[in-house]
Amino acid sequence: MRPDPTDLDLMDGETASEYLCRQLPSEWFETDAAHKTARLVTLCPVGAERAVPAVQELSEEEREAVLFRFVHYVSEGAIRAAAFIASDWTLARPDANTDLSLPAFGSVDEARDWMRANSGFLASCAAWARSRGRHETVCRTVESAEAYMRETGEFDALVGLLRVGLDSSRALGDTVWQARMRNLVGLALLTDVRTKSARTLDEADGEFAASYALAAADGDDRGRASALEGRGLIALADDRHADALSLFTRVRPLKEAVGCPRGLAGLDLLVGRTLINMGRFDHALEYLDAALEFFVAPGDGSPVDEVNIAKVRQERGRVLVAKRRWSEAQRELDLALMGFAARGLVHQSARVREMLAGHAQLTGAQDWKTHLVEAERLYRENGNEAEARRLRTYLE
């Protein structure tokens, strides 16, 4: 594992000093030593000149302890960030007994910023922990990385990381963690728009089915709810809307039983999306309004989540277009685009651009192609050539 010390900007000064001036293994300084030493001086002027000689004096046992402490720092920071980012509730809970100086996030955006700066460490930290047989650390780290990596579209790396987590959960013999990892693999496969096909949906459904069986055997309502919700998403992607609605209906009492208001708001969003597909527009708006009310002003003490707000506004825009409430639809779609774009969510922004193009066509606006050109550009930027080619046929 070779994290680059130049990426540790969001560590507080004391922690940076500890790692960079006294305890980092010497091999981390083998390349570009002048640049790294300059960075050390910036982060911790006192003692920077003796950093390299000091780490060369560490014994193998001391270096091992230092590496674990670094992995623990990254893992615990990610767990705290994931609690803000994940729309589902997470299994890993912060270590209340740690003596590390860890970030205290005041908003979802702060948590995402921390993950953006530190996510590059997560895979190497998980690999190191696995090589040392610290399988619970692997599971905690992998779960914490999942929500951010799925949101930002890092699917190849995410599926590989989740399979590492699944292997560690099996090594632990922990069926709760196994259910969680299989559910997350299913979500990653389902969400990866580049490879979505009947085969991919079947593979994802198999992961959700396995996750449900494990959770049911353990009497784990939380795991059962997550797996059923995943199977509902499969039905939604497969245009089996009645099946999706039935599955989401089964999820609700499980989430109510474990006490998850944020998860219930997310479920309202999914039900609203399903009802739109079924043509039940007024009913859909009731669920979407309930979801929006929670995400704008959470009643459980959690922070406002602008990404989920944008997702609700996108669906509200869709239903308002169907109801021909043009000005309201325009406003909702514009706000959704602003929410996604401000957070660098390229695929979601492209989808809204397509919806704005459709809205413009229906209202007789002449600039509808401008939205499609921008959507095509965003798809290409995100590596989704299939979607870009699909739009090109409308532009030629």
Side-chain angles (χ1 to χ4, degrees), residues 216-278:
D218 285 335
D220 175 11
D221 284 348
R222 176 200 172 288
R224 289 170 61 205
S226 295
L228 285 172
E229 189 168 285
R231 301 200 79 176
L233 290 169
I234 293 285
L236 200 57
D238 204 27
D239 294 329
R240 294 182 286 110
H241 307 307
D243 290 344
L245 189 60
S246 176
L247 286 160
F248 294 147
T249 300
R250 291 173 61 189
V251 171
R252 189 170 298 278
L254 294 171
K255 288 198 171 185
E256 289 173 342
V258 297
C260 183
R262 190 177 180 189
L264 286 167
L267 184 62
D268 285 337
L269 169 58
L270 294 177
V271 171
R273 183 180 298 159
T274 306
L275 291 169
I276 296 172
N277 293 344
M278 299 173 76

Side-chain angles (χ1 to χ4, degrees), residues 314-341:
Q314 180 181 5
E315 296 301 329
R316 281 178 53 81
R318 192 158 70 100
V319 73
L320 290 168
V321 165
K323 291 174 69 66
R324 298 182 178 274
R325 289 160 58 177
W326 305 119
S327 61
E328 294 172 80
Q330 178 80 52
R331 177 179 179 276
E332 292 295 313
L333 293 175
D334 285 343
L335 289 171
L337 180 60
M338 287 171 58
F340 290 138

Side-chain angles (χ1 to χ4, degrees), residues 146-348:
E146 181 272 339
Y148 177 78
M149 293 177 72
R150 179 157 50 92
E151 188 176 88
T152 53
E154 301 172 51
F155 294 110
D156 292 335
L158 174 57
V159 171
L161 187 59
L162 288 170
R163 296 205 185 281
V164 169
L166 181 57
D167 286 347
S168 281
S169 69
R170 287 169 172 157
L172 279 174
D174 189 323
T175 52
V176 174
W177 270 117
Q178 287 177 47
R180 179 62 171 159
M181 289 299 158
R182 299 205 71 164
N183 189 75
L184 295 179
V185 170
L187 282 176
L189 291 169
L190 175 61
T191 312
D192 186 355
V193 295
R194 299 168 307 161
T195 59
K196 194 174 292 183
S197 62
R199 178 178 178 182
T200 305
L201 291 179
D202 286 344
E203 186 178 355
D205 198 32
E207 295 294 337
F208 291 132
S211 177
Y212 184 85
L214 288 163
D218 285 335
D220 175 11
D221 284 348
R222 176 200 172 288
R224 289 170 61 205
S226 295
L228 285 172
E229 189 168 285
R231 301 200 79 176
L233 290 169
I234 293 285
L236 200 57
D238 204 27
D239 294 329
R240 294 182 286 110
H241 307 307
D243 290 344
L245 189 60
S246 176
L247 286 160
F248 294 147
T249 300
R250 291 173 61 189
V251 171
R252 189 170 298 278
L254 294 171
K255 288 198 171 185
E256 289 173 342
V258 297
C260 183
R262 190 177 180 189
L264 286 167
L267 184 62
D268 285 337
L269 169 58
L270 294 177
V271 171
R273 183 180 298 159
T274 306
L275 291 169
I276 296 172
N277 293 344
M278 299 173 76
R280 296 166 59 181
F281 302 134
D282 291 333
H283 201 186
L285 278 174
E286 292 176 11
Y287 280 93
L288 294 173
D289 288 348
L292 186 61
E293 181 180 359
F294 178 86
F295 289 132
V296 167
D300 63 347
S302 62
V304 173
D305 187 342
E306 297 292 345
V307 171
N308 271 322
I309 290 173
K311 289 178 180 178
V312 176
R313 292 199 182 283
Q314 180 181 5
E315 296 301 329
R316 281 178 53 81
R318 192 158 70 100
V319 73
L320 290 168
V321 165
K323 291 174 69 66
R324 298 182 178 274
R325 289 160 58 177
W326 305 119
S327 61
E328 294 172 80
Q330 178 80 52
R331 177 179 179 276
E332 292 295 313
L333 293 175
D334 285 343
L335 289 171
L337 180 60
M338 287 171 58
F340 290 138
R343 285 146 193 89
L345 300 179
V346 177
H347 178 76
Q348 293 90 331

Side-chain angles (χ1 to χ4, degrees), residues 75-96:
S75 178
E76 287 298 315
I79 287 168
R80 285 158 172 76
F84 281 75
I85 297 170
S87 57
D88 192 6
W89 64 109
T90 52
L91 190 58
R93 290 291 179 265
D95 180 0

